């Protein structure tokens, strides 16, 4: 098979470990040689993480679907007086925590709507209610959009909000709400919520306070190649500054039940290409995640050869993407995840949220050392 000639200079850069430019990113986007792009991404993926593929045992809690914003792509939100509207309170949150703990979950992932009648104390209490049930479980909670909203309704700084959440037991932050940073797109699909600058500043502040976080990009709707590369470049720049991002997750747009339902979902080919380009452009991100809930299990599995080294977790009670038409199961077992990884020719490693190996014995789990990868071996000499 003939390799796209335009990709040869990029291959030379990748093999030499050199950083790709914005123009290189646009060249990747323009190329139809998805297999070569995937091969380059796999080279970087194996350089950083060998043949390891990570997963965790986790549960999602979406405390409320009531939201003041009306983002066109969102099928999860509800108005306050909608029959779909809900809020989880202490007993319900504690029950979710007990269920998660009983299943051996090491992480609870919390994101939800922006409810204008709830105070910051409620969002802190959600974390506390979980920690009361299981002090050992890691709480990864609240996107930068949520934290910016909490700061606004409480009239305090982002830093003060994050400190209060840390005091309640916050362990890290998810990467949602990034969508697409470029104003040409952001103003059309979610113009009312936190700006690009606010999103980046919240993560900058969290990193300064010692929290790790993730980052995302919602693709496959009205954005174009330039918007995607611009998004990745902005994330790479902040990571150069703080080093606080752990994982990047490309999120495939799901159109069902949204105001953008006329737009077809991205193809499997676009999913793989976006995954690979993300791995190539984000040279300073340790991990790229194939979020199987949005991609589907088969595409997530193939993604492990297109730059991804993480397939996410067992995931229970996920509502946001299933409301938008995701046809994946609500949960898969650890045995299923390990089989998917092994079939892809990778070595499955259960991790905690901070990428430390989880060891299980007699029905109990404990956190081991930071997982050794080729990249860590180089850093450690």
């Amino acid at each position: 098979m003939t390799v796209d000639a335009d990709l040869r200079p990029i291959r030379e850069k990748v093999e030499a470990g050199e950083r790709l430019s914005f123009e290189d990113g646009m060249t990747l986007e323009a190329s139809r040689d998805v297999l070569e792009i995937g091969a380059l991404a796999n080279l970087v993926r194996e350089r950083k993480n060998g043949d390891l593929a990570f997963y965790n045992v986790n549960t999602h809690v979406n405390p409320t679907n009531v939201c003041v914003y009306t983002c066109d792509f969102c099928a999860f939100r509800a108005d306050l007086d909608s029959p779909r509207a809900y809020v989880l309170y202490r007993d319900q949150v504690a029950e979710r925590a007990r269920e998660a703990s009983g299943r051996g979950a090491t992480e609870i992932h919390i994101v939800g709507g922006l409810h204008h009648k709830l105070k910051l104390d409620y969002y802190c209490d959600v974390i506390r209610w979980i920690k009361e049930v299981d002090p050992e479980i890691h709480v990864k909670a609240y996107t930068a959009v949520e934290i910016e909203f909490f700061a606004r309704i409480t009239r305090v700084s982002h830093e003060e909000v994050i400190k209060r959440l840390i005091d309640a037991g916050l362990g890290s932050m998810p990467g949602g709400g990034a969508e697409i940073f470029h104003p040409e797109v952001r103003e059309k699909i979610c113009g009312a919520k936190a700006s690009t600058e606010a999103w980046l500043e919240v993560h900058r502040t969290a990193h300064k306070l010692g929290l790790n976080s993730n980052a995302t990009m919602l693709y496959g709707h009205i954005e174009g190649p330039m918007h995607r590369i611009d998004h990745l470049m902005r994330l790479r720049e902040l990571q150069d500054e703080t080093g606080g991002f752990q994982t990047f997750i490309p999120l495939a747009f799901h159109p069902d039940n949204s105001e953008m339902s006329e737009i077809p979902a991205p193809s499997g080919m676009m999913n793989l290409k976006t995954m690979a380009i993300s791995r190539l452009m984000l040279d300073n991100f340790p991990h790229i995640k194939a979020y199987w809930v949005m991609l589907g299990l088969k595409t997530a599995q193939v993604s492990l050869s297109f730059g991804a080294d993480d397939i996410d977790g067992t995931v229970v009670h996920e509502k946001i993407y299933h409301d938008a038409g995701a046809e994946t199961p609500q949960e898969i077992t650890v045995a299923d995840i390990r089989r998917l990884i092994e079939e892809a020719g990778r070595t499955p490693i259960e991790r905690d949220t901070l990428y430390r190996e989880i060891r299980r014995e007699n029905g109990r789990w404990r956190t081991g050392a930071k997982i050794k990868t080729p990249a860590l071996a180089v850093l450690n000499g």
Side-chain angles (χ1 to χ4, degrees):
M1 182 178 289
T2 303
V3 173
D4 183 346
D6 289 340
L7 296 182
R8 287 173 186 159
I10 293 178
R11 172 169 278 280
E12 291 174 3
K13 278 189 172 184
V14 171
E15 289 177 343
E18 297 176 9
R19 171 163 281 188
L20 300 186
S21 66
F22 180 91
E23 291 72 24
D24 292 329
M26 293 300 291
T27 299
L28 290 166
E29 285 279 1
S31 176
R32 295 184 179 181
D33 196 345
V34 178
L35 292 180
E36 172 67 0
I37 295 170
L40 293 175
N42 189 57
L43 191 158
V44 176
R45 176 246 197 275
E46 293 189 351
R47 184 184 292 155
K48 287 182 175 292
N49 292 294
D51 73 344
L52 304 182
F54 305 104
Y55 70 93
N56 69 340
V57 178
N58 63 346
T59 293
H60 283 221
V61 173
N62 307 122
T64 180
N65 64 346
V66 175
C67 192
V68 297
Y69 297 140
T70 55
C71 301
D72 287 351
F73 59 81
C74 183
F76 171 70
R77 73 163 302 278
D79 291 325
L80 185 61
D81 57 357
S82 168
R84 291 182 53 248
Y86 74 85
V87 177
L88 301 181
Y89 289 103
R90 183 176 196 139
D91 289 349
Q92 295 157 302
V93 172
E95 179 57 32
R96 291 280 182 89
R98 280 190 289 272
E99 177 187 323
S101 185
R103 292 174 52 255
T106 62
E107 172 192 288
I108 292 184
H109 178 126
I110 305 174
V111 295
L114 305 174
H115 194 312
H116 58 293
K117 298 287 187 180
L118 297 174
K119 306 298 183 186
L120 177 58
D121 287 347
Y122 165 80
Y123 296 98
C124 292
D125 283 342
V126 169
I127 299 174
R128 290 192 184 98
W129 297 334
I130 291 168
K131 287 294 200 176
E132 286 171 2
V133 171
D134 187 347
E136 298 301 315
I137 206 159
H138 182 102
V139 176
K140 180 173 70 179
Y142 306 128
T143 66
V145 170
E146 289 168 280
I147 287 173
E148 190 273 342
F149 180 74
F150 302 159
R152 198 142 37 83
I153 63 173
T154 311
R155 297 182 181 178
V156 298
S157 66
H158 296 150
E159 182 170 350
E160 178 60 25
V161 169
I162 296 170
K163 284 180 176 178
R164 291 191 197 180
L165 293 169
I166 291 172
D167 288 344
L170 179 67
S172 66
M173 281 175 51
E179 321 314 357
I180 289 289
F181 288 147
H182 199 287
E184 285 181 1
V185 176
R186 193 173 191 84
E187 289 172 7
K188 291 178 182 177
I189 66 171
C190 58
K193 72 181 185 185
S195 67
T196 294
E197 292 71 25
W199 192 98
L200 294 168
E201 182 55 35
V202 169
H203 282 268
R204 179 181 287 108
T205 302
H207 298 167
K208 183 182 76 172
L209 293 174
L211 290 182
N212 289 114
S213 67
N214 293 340
T216 62
M217 176 178 69
L218 183 70
Y219 67 90
H221 42 90
I222 66 170
E223 93 290 351
M226 181 270 285
H227 303 119
R228 292 190 290 272
I229 299 302
D230 172 80
H231 189 100
L232 297 174
M233 296 288 286
R234 295 186 200 222
L235 289 173
R236 191 171 78 181
E237 183 179 351
L238 181 56
Q239 181 74 334
D240 278 343
E241 178 186 336
T242 69
F245 287 118
Q246 292 194 126
T247 309
F248 175 72
I249 310 105
L251 299 176
F253 171 61
H254 277 260
D256 293 357
N257 305 316
S258 76
E259 295 298 318
M260 301 167 70
S261 58
E262 77 283 358
I263 299 174
S267 67
M269 195 67 76
M270 182 179 188
N271 290 334
L272 292 174
K273 186 176 179 181
T274 303
M275 189 74 62
I277 292 173
S278 299
R279 176 65 286 171
L280 290 166
M281 297 303 297
L282 296 177
D283 54 28
N284 53 5
F285 273 62
H287 305 286
I288 304 289
K289 182 185 293 185
Y291 185 37
W292 65 261
V293 171
M294 297 191 77
L295 294 172
L297 292 169
K298 293 178 180 178
T299 301
Q301 186 180 39
V302 177
S303 294
L304 294 175
S305 293
F306 277 73
D309 61 274
D310 192 307
I311 203 165
D312 201 69
T314 48
V315 185
V316 182
H317 299 303
E318 194 288 319
K319 289 184 63 63
I320 293 174
Y321 301 113
H322 284 90
D323 282 354
E327 297 179 354
T328 47
Q330 279 279 355
E331 174 185 12
I332 59 174
T333 66
V334 168
D336 287 336
I337 289 178
R338 295 183 69 90
R339 176 180 56 80
L340 287 169
I341 291 171
E342 288 169 350
E343 285 178 352
R346 304 300 186 184
T347 300
I349 299 287
E350 183 182 352
R351 61 164 178 85
D352 71 356
T353 309
L354 303 178
Y355 285 85
R356 297 171 298 192
E357 186 170 5
I358 292 294
R359 297 171 184 169
R360 294 184 182 269
E361 197 172 316
N362 300 322
R364 305 179 72 131
W365 62 269
R366 63 186 176 87
T367 301
K370 192 82 169 176
I371 296 165
K372 291 183 179 179
T373 66
L376 278 180
V378 170
L379 287 173
N380 293 334

